[in-house]
Amino acid sequence: PYEIDGTGLQLTGFSLSHPVPSAAAWLHNNSGYSILYLGDTGPDSIEGEGHLKTLWKAVGKELRKGKLKAILIEVSFTNSQPDNRLFGHLTPKYLAEELQQLAKYSGKKSLKNFPIVITHIKPDADNIVRMKSELEKGNSLGVQYIFPERGVPLEF
């Protein structure tokens, strides 16, 4: 962890799988609560580097204790995007697989109502509508998907 002077915050960084270097930032406050922000990343099952497994292992116990308050993660493409054209990004299907891994490392069978903020959706005409539908259809863990809107604060 890296202490951010004068803020009462600590930051822990993790490498992610993407053609251009990308990272996750795990931000902790003095009360022991945290949020996790991921930059661009491909799923471990495609990328084969295990970066997300390392991340899920690290944050899993904090999720189990109720200290991890939210995850902000990219889902750039709908499930129709071919695997060889993901270029280090997630689809709803692959996010669901990765969240299953997080649940496993947290020791939880359900992540009911846990906030997952979806970022970096590619701006195709009907992408957001399809994305929401695909995410909800694959939501076997019961997470709360949040789609941020410009100018609207997020609260966890």
Side-chain angles (χ1 to χ4, degrees):
Y2 172 78
E3 193 77 31
I4 303 172
D5 291 337
T7 66
L9 298 172
Q10 290 183 335
L11 179 96
T12 305
F14 295 85
S15 294
L16 296 174
S17 298
H18 190 259
V20 175
S22 184
W26 188 16
L27 193 63
H28 313 259
N29 68 17
N30 283 338
S31 301
Y33 293 103
S34 65
I35 62 170
L36 178 64
Y37 175 83
L38 286 81
D40 293 345
T41 188
D44 281 352
S45 61
I46 299 291
E47 302 297 331
E49 295 178 302
H51 289 307
L52 288 173
K53 179 180 180 180
T54 299
L55 181 60
W56 303 145
K57 281 182 173 182
V59 303
K61 69 179 165 189
E62 296 303 306
L63 176 61
R64 181 175 53 248
K65 293 186 220 172
K67 296 290 189 176
L68 179 63
K69 293 300 181 185
I71 296 174
L72 293 86
I73 189 167
E74 67 100 349
V75 181
S76 294
F77 299 108
T78 62
N79 289 332
S80 64
Q81 186 77 359
D83 289 353
N84 67 344
R85 308 247 336 129
L86 290 177
F87 307 113
H89 294 287
L90 294 172
T91 64
K93 170 187 148 188
Y94 287 120
L95 175 60
E97 285 180 11
E98 291 299 339
L99 291 177
Q100 288 288 343
Q101 292 301 305
L102 173 60
K104 174 180 139 186
Y105 290 114
S106 73
K108 292 176 148 279
K109 293 184 186 206
S110 168
L111 300 180
K112 187 166 176 63
N113 296 320
F114 183 77
I116 303 289
V117 180
I118 303 300
T119 65
H120 200 258
I121 297 172
K122 297 292 183 185
D124 294 343
D126 67 340
N127 232 10
I128 189 78
V129 173
R130 288 177 54 209
M131 185 78 64
K132 285 180 178 181
S133 174
E134 290 177 359
L135 284 165
E136 287 307 326
K137 282 180 186 171
N139 191 3
S140 63
L141 291 169
V143 299
Q144 176 193 5
Y145 287 120
I146 299 169
F147 296 86
E149 297 178 39
R150 183 173 289 159
V152 178
L154 296 173
E155 294 183 28
F156 312 110

